[in-house]
């Protein structure tokens, strides 16, 4: 069902943080048996940013959150709730949201994490929308920081070439100006949990010397299977959210897909018959930064003056879980 014009949730501030250090494909050629040619042709990634050893995920999130608040022209006291989407928490508990809440000197504002794989930012928007429209929260700060390079096995060429670190954040509030979130589709299939996971370190396989020796505390992925499910599910979610919003493919100004692999991005665009020039791509600069890909994309379009009032954005992501979701949004 499409949201009424009177009550929608809108993004009123966007911020990002990207660590300074860049790791290029040429650097990776010296670390594992790979080549710039393979990485670019199979994934689209040319370089990625890597956090400093002394930085935790929350440090990236605090920087992005501050930038989003500045963009919205607000101080932290104007926020009612901090939501954090991440797969790489500072600690299993407390939540990364609480670390960020402390870092922002946010008093006693409630804060909690969302664990939804790379789909976390879209899940976060959907949760925030429900809370805002029900009156539970007036303004929500949604933060999406990720530091997968600290759970990457740097000897596994099938995964270490893919990921980077970054954070995005958005200030969200109610609007009646006709813009904002129009519809959503969100799904999960826990039967596909083994496709992409960090097996050890939780209660299922607690950390022991053996799990460390077997490298089970690193991200593991069945890349081919993830690829197939991703293309199918992103296509389905995008179509469902367009339908719910009463929109057609031709109405879309920008398809903003999760940046996991250029071939997944292009296949999704083709499946939806959305022309290439309307499909946002920046994977070459950052690699897969998981929950941060969608906010980084929105921020880049906004900063580049490429978003006009009334433009229709189709946000579309998938990730570990398996989770997938899409949102139709009027800028
Ligand atoms: O946010 C969600 C996270 N994950 C994803 O979105 C990942 C989705 N999957 C993918 O992006 C792709 O499956 C990968 C990029 C991970 C792999 O690409 P692929 O085309 O599916 O390659 P593959 O796994 O089928 O491997 C093809 C070959 C293999 O060699 P053989 O067995 O054919 O001799 C691999 O060993 O490529 C080899 N290979 C590499 N070669 C050079 C795998 N990684 C590398 C590498 N450099 N980095």
């Amino acid at each position: 069902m499409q949201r009424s014009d009177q009550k929608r949730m809108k993004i009123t501030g966007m911020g990002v943080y990207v660590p300074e250090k860049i790791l290029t494909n040429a650097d990776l050629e010296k670390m594992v048996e790979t080549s710039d040619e393979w990485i670019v042709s199979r994934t689209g990634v040319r370089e990625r940013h890597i956090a400093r050893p002394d930085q935790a995920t929350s440090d990236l999130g605090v920087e992005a959150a501050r930038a989003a608040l500045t963009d919205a022209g607000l101080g932290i006291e104007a926020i009612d709730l901090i939501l954090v989407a991440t797969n790489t928490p500072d600690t299993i508990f407390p939540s990364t949201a609480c670390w960020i809440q402390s870092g922002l000197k946010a008093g006693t504002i409630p804060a909690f994490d969302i664990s939804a794989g790379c789909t976390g930012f879209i899940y976060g928007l959907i949760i925030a929308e429900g809370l805002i429209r029900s009156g539970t929260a007036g303004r929500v700060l949604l933060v999406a920081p990720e530091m997968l390079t600290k759970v990457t096995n740097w000897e596994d060429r099938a995964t270490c070439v893919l990921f980077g670190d970054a954070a995005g954040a958005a200030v969200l509030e109610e609007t009646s100006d006709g813009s904002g979130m129009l519809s959503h589709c969100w799904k999960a299939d826990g039967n596909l949990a083994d496709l992409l996971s960090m097996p050890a370190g939780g209660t299922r396989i607690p950390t022991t010397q053996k799990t460390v020796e077997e490298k089970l505390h690193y991200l593991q992925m069945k890349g081919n299977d993830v690829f197939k499910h991703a293309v199918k599910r992103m296509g389905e979610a995008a179509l469902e959210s367009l339908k719910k919003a009463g929109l057609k493919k031709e109405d879309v100004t920008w398809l903003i897909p999760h940046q996991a692999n250029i071939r997944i991005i292009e296949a999704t665009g083709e499946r939806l018959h959305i022309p290439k020039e309307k499909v946002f791509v920046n994977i070459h600069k950052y690699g897969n930064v998981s929950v941060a890909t969608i906010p980084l994309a929105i921020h880049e379009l906004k900063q580049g003056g490429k978003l006009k009032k009334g433009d229709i954005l189709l946000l579309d992501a998938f990730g570990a879980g398996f989770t997938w979701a899409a949102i139709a949004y009027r800028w």
Side-chain angles (χ1 to χ4, degrees):
M1 193 176 54
Q2 194 184 348
R3 276 68 172 164
S4 72
D5 279 359
Q6 278 67 41
K7 260 191 155 195
R8 283 203 192 115
M9 182 194 77
K10 174 182 184 168
I11 297 170
T12 56
M14 283 299 307
V16 301
Y17 173 78
V18 179
E20 261 172 53
K21 187 182 167 189
I22 291 176
L23 188 74
T24 65
N25 290 351
D27 296 329
L28 278 163
E29 283 176 351
K30 294 178 202 135
M31 295 161 64
V32 285
E33 188 63 40
T34 192
S35 65
D36 176 56
E37 196 280 326
W38 191 96
I39 303 172
V40 173
S41 64
R42 303 309 292 165
T43 75
V45 184
R46 291 187 182 274
E47 58 186 38
R48 68 288 288 145
H49 293 248
I50 311 282
R52 297 192 310 268
D54 66 307
Q55 283 177 313
T57 300
S58 64
D59 296 319
L60 275 52
V62 165
E63 296 293 339
R66 286 198 182 119
L69 287 167
T70 303
D71 189 43
L74 296 171
I76 187 65
E77 67 289 345
I79 299 297
D80 298 309
L81 170 68
I82 299 172
L83 288 181
V84 174
T86 190
N87 300 285
T88 46
D90 285 28
T91 44
I92 289 185
F93 64 88
S95 67
T96 304
C98 283
W99 290 109
I100 290 177
Q101 198 255 22
S102 165
L104 292 172
K105 299 188 181 21
T108 56
I109 297 172
F112 66 91
D113 282 5
I114 301 162
S115 174
C118 297
T119 317
F121 185 77
I122 296 189
Y123 263 53
L125 289 174
I126 297 166
I127 294 166
E129 198 231 15
L131 294 169
I132 288 171
R133 279 163 45 92
S134 68
T136 306
R139 267 196 208 100
V140 176
L141 178 60
L142 172 61
V143 192
E146 202 73 273
M147 204 183 278
L148 282 167
T149 66
K150 277 199 185 163
V151 297
T152 295
N153 177 0
W154 290 98
E155 290 168 6
D156 175 15
R157 69 176 183 172
T159 55
C160 77
V161 302
L162 303 174
F163 303 103
D165 301 328
V171 176
L172 308 166
E173 53 194 291
E174 196 173 281
T175 183
S176 52
D177 69 0
S179 70
M181 188 166 142
L182 303 174
S183 66
H184 74 265
C185 163
W186 58 343
K187 307 266 183 184
D189 184 355
N191 296 313
L192 300 175
D194 285 344
L195 293 192
L196 176 53
S197 70
M198 204 179 102
T203 55
R204 188 168 288 268
I205 308 177
T207 308
T208 60
Q209 193 162 342
K210 190 161 173 280
T211 63
V212 174
E213 282 162 11
E214 289 174 356
K215 301 188 189 304
L216 296 178
H217 58 299
Y218 289 131
L219 174 153
Q220 296 190 353
M221 181 169 67
K222 293 177 182 144
N224 274 308
D225 292 332
V226 172
F227 193 109
K228 283 178 218 147
H229 286 287
V231 174
K232 180 171 185 289
R233 296 310 200 176
M234 282 172 80
E236 288 169 3
L239 287 177
E240 190 174 325
S241 42
L242 278 181
K243 192 174 167 201
K244 282 181 175 171
L247 294 168
K248 298 187 295 293
K249 294 164 191 170
E250 302 76 54
D251 297 322
V252 176
T253 317
W254 286 105
L255 170 65
I256 303 184
H258 171 47
Q259 307 282 305
N261 184 316
I262 188 68
R263 292 181 294 139
I264 296 178
I265 295 168
E266 288 175 355
T268 305
E270 282 163 22
R271 222 182 164 101
L272 294 169
H273 303 290
I274 292 180
K276 252 184 158 178
E277 58 278 11
K278 291 185 169 189
V279 181
F280 181 85
V281 178
N282 68 0
I283 191 171
H284 50 289
K285 294 189 282 188
Y286 303 113
N288 178 352
V289 289
S290 184
V291 291
T293 62
I294 303 273
L296 245 62
I298 299 172
H299 183 263
E300 190 171 322
L301 286 168
K302 184 171 180 276
Q303 290 303 106
K306 292 183 178 160
L307 292 182
K308 294 187 308 296
K309 194 169 163 48
D311 280 355
I312 298 293
L313 313 185
L314 187 54
L315 316 180
D316 199 4
F318 69 94
F322 214 75
T323 59
W324 63 100
I327 282 177
Y329 187 99
R330 181 177 291 125
W331 194 255

